């Protein structure tokens, strides 16, 4: 087992809140992390995907009131949405008897909208903690490097597979499961599985491109509203990331469409039938795949409250990632390059002039960090992730 940094966030959240929701895509390691916490706390674990455990909660007030002094872990909680008002009642009752924190750990891999409704039911009683794929800091602490993680992706069973062939097979099966079951569970009007697979594959080819739902709809011979509905669903299932454009106070025409990424690089490669590093290195998607991989790693390392976007004008000024960090008046600007000799174009320099960032980085595929030109630091992915992990907001000036 590779230790996850999120376990410390969950433990801290349980110490200050009655309920904590751990959210992430299927097979990302939520249950493993929860069992790790359960071993330390003598927690009660319920898998609501099983009929027997759902039956135990046919009268949740009776069953859960037997465990007021223990943490209760509720896995696949979206399958019992009626449970949330009951949790609110139990939490409020416990508060009146001095039991204010560490009551429930809720695991959710889907239906963010339902969990958002839970947040309304449990307002002031729940804290949300995201769990993404394995990242470069976690695997390098385990003795591995970023390149295998990029090729295989960060789903633990894929990354830790005995061979590239086994890893690739896991990801293809994972995709098939989502096509046949999970995605279809959360949309009202269902697409044929083959059409949905084509949509996924087109999104993988489109990695890092501006989202143009009308073009996708035309290629698939379906309407734009249907594409938009599936994009929303895949985003809520943590499969896709929509990166919004940065809103800058500049007198230039800015791109308004979001960029779209398949969040796990291993899924990008499986959708495009890329099974190993040699095939990936020569594939046209390699640069965009690396860009998405870097973005996911950096956002997982960034402190809570960080806002992420990209900057692009109609005239061609562009920066891949703009991070607004808590406590900083100016953002960080990050350009992402795969090669060992990262070239900088006119669009990047123009974007720097527009943004006037606090710091500027070029995150590249090498290991050494160095200054490329005044104000521009070339930095490895590992070093960039460490900077964000260790970032602390500047102290407020004394009055």
């Amino acid at each position: 087992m590779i230790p996850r940094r999120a376990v410390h966030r969950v433990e801290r959240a349980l110490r200050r809140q009655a309920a904590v929701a751990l959210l992430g895509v299927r097979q990302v390691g939520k249950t493993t992390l929860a069992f790790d916490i359960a071993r330390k706390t003598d927690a009660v674990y319920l898998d609501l995907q099983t009929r027997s455990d759902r039956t135990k909660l046919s009268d949740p007030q009776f069953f859960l009131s037997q465990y007021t002094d223990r943490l209760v872990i509720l896995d696949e909680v979206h399958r019992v949405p009626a449970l949330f008002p009951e949790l609110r009642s139990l939490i409020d009752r416990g508060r009146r008897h001095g039991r204010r924190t560490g009551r429930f750990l809720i695991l959710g891999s889907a239906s963010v909208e339902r969990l958002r409704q839970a947040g309304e039911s449990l307002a002031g009683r729940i804290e949300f903690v995201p769990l993404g794929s394995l990242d470069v800091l976690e695997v390098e602490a385990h003795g591995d490097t970023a390149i295998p993680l990029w090729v295989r992706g960060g789903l633990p069973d894929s990354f830790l597979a005995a061979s590239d062939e086994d890893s690739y097979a896991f990801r293809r099966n994972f995709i098939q499961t989502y096509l046949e079951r999970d995605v279809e569970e959360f949309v009202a009007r269902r697409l044929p599985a083959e059409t949905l697979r084509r949509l996924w594959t087109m999104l993988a080819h489109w990695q890092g491109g501006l989202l143009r739902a009308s073009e996708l709809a035309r290629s698939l011979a379906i309407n734009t509203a249907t594409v938009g509905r599936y994009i929303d669903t895949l985003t809520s299932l943590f499969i896709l990331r929509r990166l919004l454009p940065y809103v800058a106070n500049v007198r230039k025409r800015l791109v308004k469409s979001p960029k779209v990424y398949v969040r796990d690089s291993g899924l990008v490669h499986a959708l495009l039938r890329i099974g190993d590093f040699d095939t990936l290195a020569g594939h046209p998607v390699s640069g965009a795949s690396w860009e998405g991989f870097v973005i996911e790693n950096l956002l997982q390392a960034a402190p809570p409250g960080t806002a992420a976007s990209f900057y692009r004008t109609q005239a061609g000024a562009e920066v891949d990632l703009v991070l607004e960090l808590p406590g900083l008046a100016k953002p960080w600007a990050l350009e992402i390059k795969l090669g060992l000799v990262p070239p900088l174009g006119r669009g990047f320099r123009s974007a720097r002039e527009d943004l006037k960032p606090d710091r500027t980085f070029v995150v590249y595929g090498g290991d050494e960090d160095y200054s490329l030109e005044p104000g521009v630091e070339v930095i490895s992915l590992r070093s960039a992730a460490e900077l964000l992990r260790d970032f602390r907001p500047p102290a407020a000036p004394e009055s």
Side-chain angles (χ1 to χ4, degrees):
M1 174 180 163
I2 296 178
R4 307 301 304 273
R5 290 196 312 281
V7 70
H8 304 297
R9 289 189 61 184
V10 171
E11 290 172 339
R12 289 194 296 269
L14 286 169
R15 287 195 291 269
R16 60 178 172 248
Q17 192 54 275
V20 174
L22 180 64
L23 307 180
V25 72
R26 282 192 185 280
Q27 302 295 321
V28 81
K30 299 184 299 298
T31 302
T32 301
L33 188 152
F35 279 152
D36 187 37
I37 291 173
R39 283 192 292 271
K40 304 174 187 175
T41 60
D42 188 31
V44 178
Y45 173 81
L46 298 173
D47 182 358
L48 301 185
Q49 192 164 247
T50 67
R51 180 179 298 178
S52 60
D53 280 359
R54 288 199 304 272
T55 301
K56 292 176 184 177
L57 293 179
S58 57
D59 185 347
Q61 292 284 340
F62 173 77
F63 182 83
L64 295 175
S65 63
Q66 311 304 310
Y67 301 102
T68 57
D69 59 342
R70 295 169 67 182
L71 174 67
V72 177
I73 299 171
L74 301 168
D75 205 346
E76 297 293 327
V77 72
H78 66 276
R79 296 185 178 276
V80 190
L83 183 60
F84 291 116
E86 304 290 346
L87 296 182
R88 175 176 179 166
S89 173
L90 287 161
I91 289 170
D92 289 348
R93 189 186 310 162
R95 283 177 166 180
R96 291 193 292 271
H97 292 86
R99 187 77 164 86
R100 305 186 63 84
T101 62
R103 298 291 307 280
F104 301 102
L105 176 57
I106 296 167
L107 311 185
S109 59
S111 190
V112 174
E113 291 301 323
R114 293 186 186 181
L115 287 173
R116 189 171 295 134
Q117 293 170 11
E120 295 171 2
S121 306
L122 299 176
R125 304 165 181 84
I126 190 167
E127 183 169 336
F128 295 89
V129 177
L131 181 65
S133 297
L134 291 168
D135 64 42
V136 65
L137 297 180
E138 291 169 332
V139 303
E140 289 196 347
H142 191 254
D144 289 293
T145 62
I147 296 301
L149 181 64
W150 173 39
V151 175
R152 294 185 173 194
L155 297 178
D157 286 343
S158 175
F159 178 71
L160 296 171
S163 66
D164 284 345
E165 180 181 359
D166 289 347
S167 171
Y168 181 72
F170 168 83
R171 285 175 276 137
R172 296 293 295 181
N173 291 331
F174 177 92
I175 291 166
Q176 188 65 38
T177 299
Y178 258 75
L179 288 171
E180 293 181 349
R181 187 184 66 183
D182 294 63
V183 174
E184 298 299 272
E185 184 180 347
F186 298 101
V187 290
R189 297 180 182 177
R190 299 182 177 184
L191 287 175
E194 184 55 36
T195 303
L196 185 53
R197 179 183 292 277
R198 287 176 58 206
L199 173 60
W200 281 43
T201 303
M202 290 175 67
L203 289 168
H205 280 292
W206 214 300
Q207 182 79 342
L210 295 177
L211 177 58
R212 303 194 189 282
S214 59
E215 293 184 27
L216 289 168
R218 189 162 50 249
S219 298
L220 294 167
I222 58 178
N223 64 56
T224 303
T226 299
V227 169
R229 186 165 59 248
Y230 271 86
I231 295 290
D232 290 343
T233 300
L234 292 172
T235 301
S236 73
L237 292 173
F238 312 105
I239 294 291
L240 292 184
R241 177 180 297 279
R242 280 181 293 207
L243 190 65
L244 298 177
Y246 181 70
V247 179
N249 186 21
V250 295
R251 295 182 179 180
K252 295 185 177 181
R253 294 180 62 193
L254 302 177
V255 167
K256 297 181 180 180
S257 298
K259 293 169 73 173
V260 62
Y261 297 88
V262 177
R263 293 181 59 166
D264 186 86
S265 60
L267 296 183
V268 175
H269 305 153
L271 286 163
L272 300 179
R273 300 187 180 278
I274 299 170
D276 55 39
F277 176 74
D278 288 345
T279 307
L280 175 59
H283 197 282
V285 83
S286 60
S289 170
W290 175 256
E291 179 181 315
F293 173 71
V294 169
I295 288 171
E296 288 303 314
N297 274 263
L298 296 185
L299 294 186
Q300 285 186 207
T306 299
S309 57
F310 71 97
Y311 179 78
R312 184 184 296 182
T313 70
Q314 298 287 357
E318 181 178 6
V319 168
D320 293 325
L321 184 62
V322 179
L323 294 180
E324 298 171 83
L325 295 161
L328 291 185
K330 296 181 179 180
W332 286 9
L334 299 99
E335 186 71 359
I336 300 168
K337 301 292 185 183
L338 175 57
L340 298 181
V341 185
L344 300 181
R346 180 182 300 175
F348 170 77
R349 291 187 170 87
S350 179
R352 281 197 71 212
E353 293 174 5
D354 295 344
L355 294 171
K356 298 177 175 54
D358 180 70
R359 297 183 73 175
T360 301
F361 300 95
V362 179
V363 184
Y364 79 131
D367 296 322
E368 296 183 7
D369 304 339
Y370 59 93
S371 177
L372 184 62
E373 57 186 59
V376 179
E377 303 169 63
V378 176
I379 190 170
S380 69
L381 172 57
R382 181 191 66 254
S383 295
E386 288 173 343
L387 273 178
L388 288 167
R389 179 197 62 192
D390 299 336
F391 175 85
R392 297 293 181 271
E398 297 183 3
S399 57

